[in-house]
Amino acid sequence: MPRLSYLLAAVVAACAPGAARAGDVPSFTADVVPLFTKAGCNQGACHGKGAGQNGFRLSLRGFAPEQDYKWVTREFDGRRLDRTRPEESLLLRKATGQTPHEGGRLFSATSREYGLLLDWLKAGYPGPSKGDVSVSKLELAPASQVLKPGEEVQLVATATFADGSRRDVTWLTKFDSNDPAYLAVTPGGRAKALRHGASAVRAMYLTEVAVTVVGVPFDRPVDDARFAAANNFVDAHVFAKLKELRIEPSDLCTDAEFIRRVLLDACGVLPTVDEVKAFVADPDPKKRGRLIDAALARPEFTDYWALQLGDLFQNRKERDHDVRGVKGVRQFHAWLRKQVAANRPWDAIARDVLTATGASTESPAVGYFIVTVGEHRHGENSEAPESVAQAFLGTRIGCAKCHNHPLERYTQDDFYHFAAYFSRVKLDRKEAKDGATALRVSHPDQNQNKNPVGVGQPRTGAFMKPQPLDRTPTDVKPTDDPRAQLAKWVTDPKNEYFTGAMVNRVWKHYMNVGLVEPVDDLRATNPPTNPALWAALNKEFVDKTLDLRALMRAVLNSHAYQLSSATRKGNETDARFYSHYYARRLPAEVLLDAVCDLSGVPEHFAGYPTGTRAVQVPDPGANSYFLRAFGRSDRVTACACERTGEVSLPAVLNLMGGETVTQKLNAGGWVSELLAAEKDDDKVTDALFLRALARTPTAAERETVRGLLKDASRNDVYKDMLWALVNSKEFLFNR
């Protein structure tokens, strides 16, 4: 009978949390859950995974406190808690190492953490209640700091709650360094500079996050004159950051390097021999600006950027039960190319894609939803919410579908509020032989169209109305297309995630390193390396009415873009502040086209006319081992990581002896015509170097070729020379 009385008392105490809330009783939601997070208990490597660990599970990083409370207090007859002797509770004994614990000893019996849990247990372990006040903001102080290597700073985390109250939560906040090689941080929030450069510390308390940026300047003198050369506002901010960190910028690149760089970056083409000669010989001091304007007006620019947008919008055939075929992919590509050619503002393109309706043959942008929604009856359950957020906002919200975002303030509720915008996307899918697939704005069950727009949250069962990620209230009527409201919010010039996502993609394309990396992972805990430049580029983009060419023109005309890739003493290790141009391997399609241009032998793609360039091929499924080996995007997700620029063994072997390269080099092409027409070997050598590398050979290179010509035929020497050029780093990389 006494045992039954004890069990009844424990149940009553657990079910009536409000009875034990007098005084300074710890809150399960505001104190205990953050403590679990800070101690690592609810991380994926411990108890915070679906199946838990060793019979104990918690929601990942505490996203479901009501479930955590049930598992801690009720599971296995409450064996983890001892009501009569709280200090003997298994919850405490394991954390302090008194009972074997695979996670080891987390804190001592004299620690503040131990005291909090013991006080909570003594108070009758009150659980979450409707009266709990949610946290609305987290701030870190100082927000920025300049340190020397070895110096430390104590960070202070302050939480603001929905009722306006504020509280120092430093000791309950989880701290992490964005780059542990530059900056270390203790669990208590003490940050220590390890090496020169800059990084950030991110902090998380419940659903809120904050960052502190720490700069660690180099301890060396730099001539201020090195920062004086500025072409536009871009340079003012790049050089200000370099000056702050005492990193010396490189010299300007040569004219030959510049013409090759610009045409490859903007248009995906090598300059011709005549273009290089004319540009280098031109004495006009404004010739670089004129070249940039000319490049942005070329049809090759349109081809290349239609390819980029095709990657962004995942323009491909479906993986299973494809209803568009190559024809549909080509139609969407042609539509994108038309937008680029007309220089339509980015917000106009985005709105057309986000609100596309009708048959895919008449509205090719419907293809975006055909591949992201696919065969899902309910658009909110498809890939569309994650893809839209990543493509248009540069934000990764996919993990919030199952739990709160581990690195951002987005909750599971935020995800389903956002997903509700796609709850009226209905695809009338048809096989190509039966007609065109069409998108209609309707609930899958037409009888539901008169009901409020929204979706059910699978964990809580709550009804989630459409709401943007910044949580501003919206009113979507049952007869509205919810995507129209979404498009309005997404493309608002004040939405820095929308403008910033494209600014960051354009900046990375031309500078090879994004202001935010990864390029499509914009979040509060991943700040740009140069916040002032970030703000200035966003302002320029908005001021120029989201004109992509105007944004690119500002980047290309900057002194920063035109710096040499050759480093100077002191900037060799810089990989994030743009003290020199960061050389990069040519993208797959550009490299294949460059091989074709250099050899004079075009590639043939099945179903396309001979002479079609790789950047003009709409379908990423077009059969090409070369393009696969060099990292062409398959467009299966919205992630920019699908396109790779890594140097791999298969790619190297392909260049050295692959069928694509060897066939083109053996075919003769323009080199055979050049040899027949030009008897001066030096002029032939010059032409090959100019076409491949946009420069003439050095004296040593010229003498080497002359020596080889004494012992072998011209045809063999120049064929081998062509092979050597194709396999050189100078050819493979834009520098």
Side-chain angles (χ1 to χ4, degrees), residues 590-619:
V590 175
L591 181 56
L592 180 53
D593 286 342
V595 171
C596 293
D597 288 343
L598 184 57
S599 66
V601 180
E603 183 74 353
H604 179 71
F605 297 96
Y608 297 89
T610 299
T612 300
R613 301 174 65 82
V615 297
Q616 296 174 318
V617 176
D619 181 15

Side-chain angles (χ1 to χ4, degrees), residues 40-49 52-53 56 101 103:
C41 306
N42 57 20
Q43 305 304 296
C46 200
H47 301 288
K49 48 180 176 276
Q53 181 107 323
F56 182 31
H101 179 218

Side-chain angles (χ1 to χ4, degrees), residues 5-6 105 141 159 195 227 249 311 326 358 360 377 424 465 476 496 518 530 606 608 652 717 720:
S5 298
Y6 160 72
R105 182 172 176 266
R195 55 188 290 196
F227 307 110
D311 284 356
V326 175
S360 59
R377 284 190 72 244
R424 290 291 201 263
K465 295 181 179 180
V476 179
E496 190 174 295
N530 192 328
Y608 297 89
V652 171
V717 168
D720 289 346

Side-chain angles (χ1 to χ4, degrees), residues 162-232:
D163 62 359
S165 62
R166 290 167 58 83
R167 174 185 167 197
D168 183 341
V169 293
T170 304
W171 81 284
L172 288 173
T173 297
K174 180 174 174 54
F175 294 95
D176 291 287
S177 172
N178 275 8
D179 195 335
Y182 287 86
L183 198 60
V185 63
T186 67
R190 194 159 187 83
K192 181 178 181 179
L194 301 179
R195 55 188 290 196
H196 300 291
S199 190
V201 171
R202 63 180 185 270
M204 180 175 67
Y205 172 76
L206 294 176
T207 61
E208 298 303 302
V209 295
V211 293
T212 284
V213 178
V214 178
V216 190
F218 285 85
D219 186 17
R220 61 189 175 216
V222 179
D223 184 358
D224 283 352
R226 299 291 303 174
F227 307 110
N231 292 349
N232 58 18

Side-chain angles (χ1 to χ4, degrees), residues 42-297:
N42 57 20
Q43 305 304 296
C46 200
H47 301 288
K49 48 180 176 276
Q53 181 107 323
N54 295 332
F56 182 31
R57 55 181 169 166
L58 293 168
S59 63
L60 185 65
R61 298 176 180 86
F63 78 91
E66 69 285 351
Q67 290 182 355
D68 293 339
Y69 183 75
K70 180 183 68 175
W71 290 330
V72 170
T73 63
R74 309 286 182 81
E75 201 170 37
F76 301 120
D77 295 326
R79 65 185 288 268
R80 299 184 179 95
L81 310 181
D82 191 325
R83 180 171 178 78
T84 57
R85 296 175 299 166
E87 63 277 357
E88 292 299 315
S89 295
L90 195 59
L91 188 69
L92 284 176
R93 292 186 60 84
K94 287 217 170 192
T96 55
Q98 298 175 63
T99 295
H101 179 218
E102 191 173 323
R105 182 172 176 266
L106 301 179
F107 44 76
S108 72
T110 60
S111 66
R112 188 175 182 180
E113 291 82 355
Y114 180 91
L116 183 147
L117 286 178
L118 184 59
D119 288 347
W120 175 68
L121 291 168
K122 287 181 176 179
Y125 38 89
S129 72
K130 293 182 179 179
D132 288 337
V133 181
S134 61
V135 63
S136 58
K137 186 178 181 181
L138 182 68
E139 297 171 277
L140 269 186
S144 61
Q145 184 73 29
V146 176
L147 299 175
K148 295 179 180 179
E151 288 186 338
E152 300 181 358
V153 62
Q154 176 61 50
L155 304 178
V156 177
T158 303
T160 300
F161 293 84
D163 62 359
S165 62
R166 290 167 58 83
R167 174 185 167 197
D168 183 341
V169 293
T170 304
W171 81 284
L172 288 173
T173 297
K174 180 174 174 54
F175 294 95
D176 291 287
S177 172
N178 275 8
D179 195 335
Y182 287 86
L183 198 60
V185 63
T186 67
R190 194 159 187 83
K192 181 178 181 179
L194 301 179
R195 55 188 290 196
H196 300 291
S199 190
V201 171
R202 63 180 185 270
M204 180 175 67
Y205 172 76
L206 294 176
T207 61
E208 298 303 302
V209 295
V211 293
T212 284
V213 178
V214 178
V216 190
F218 285 85
D219 186 17
R220 61 189 175 216
V222 179
D223 184 358
D224 283 352
R226 299 291 303 174
F227 307 110
N231 292 349
N232 58 18
F233 72 93
V234 172
D235 299 320
H237 297 295
V238 170
F239 289 154
K241 175 60 73 172
L242 292 175
K243 186 175 182 179
E244 172 191 321
L245 296 173
R246 300 194 191 104
I247 301 174
E248 187 171 334
S250 293
D251 296 322
L252 275 179
C253 66
T254 66
D255 285 342
E257 289 170 334
F258 183 73
I259 185 173
R260 187 178 193 270
R261 181 186 298 177
V262 166
L263 291 184
L264 283 171
D265 276 349
C267 303
V269 296
L270 288 171
T272 65
V273 173
D274 290 340
E275 285 174 332
V276 175
K277 287 180 177 179
F279 184 74
V280 172
D282 188 349
D284 186 354
K286 297 181 179 180
K287 64 182 179 181
R288 293 195 176 191
R290 288 194 290 105
L291 175 65
I292 291 166
D293 290 341
L296 297 179

Side-chain angles (χ1 to χ4, degrees), residues 442-502:
S442 171
H443 189 281
D445 178 358
Q446 294 186 29
N447 295 322
Q448 300 291 321
N449 285 336
K450 61 181 180 298
N451 294 332
V453 178
V455 299
Q457 215 269 42
R459 177 174 60 85
T460 65
F463 186 71
M464 302 281 106
K465 295 181 179 180
Q467 178 179 283
L469 295 176
D470 66 358
R471 300 173 183 168
T472 54
T474 56
D475 181 25
V476 179
K477 296 179 175 58
T479 55
D480 292 344
D481 180 352
R483 297 173 304 153
Q485 291 273 19
L486 174 64
K488 181 179 179 181
W489 173 77
V490 165
T491 62
D492 188 326
K494 296 178 183 178
N495 186 348
E496 190 174 295
Y497 277 91
F498 175 65
T499 58
M502 183 52 75

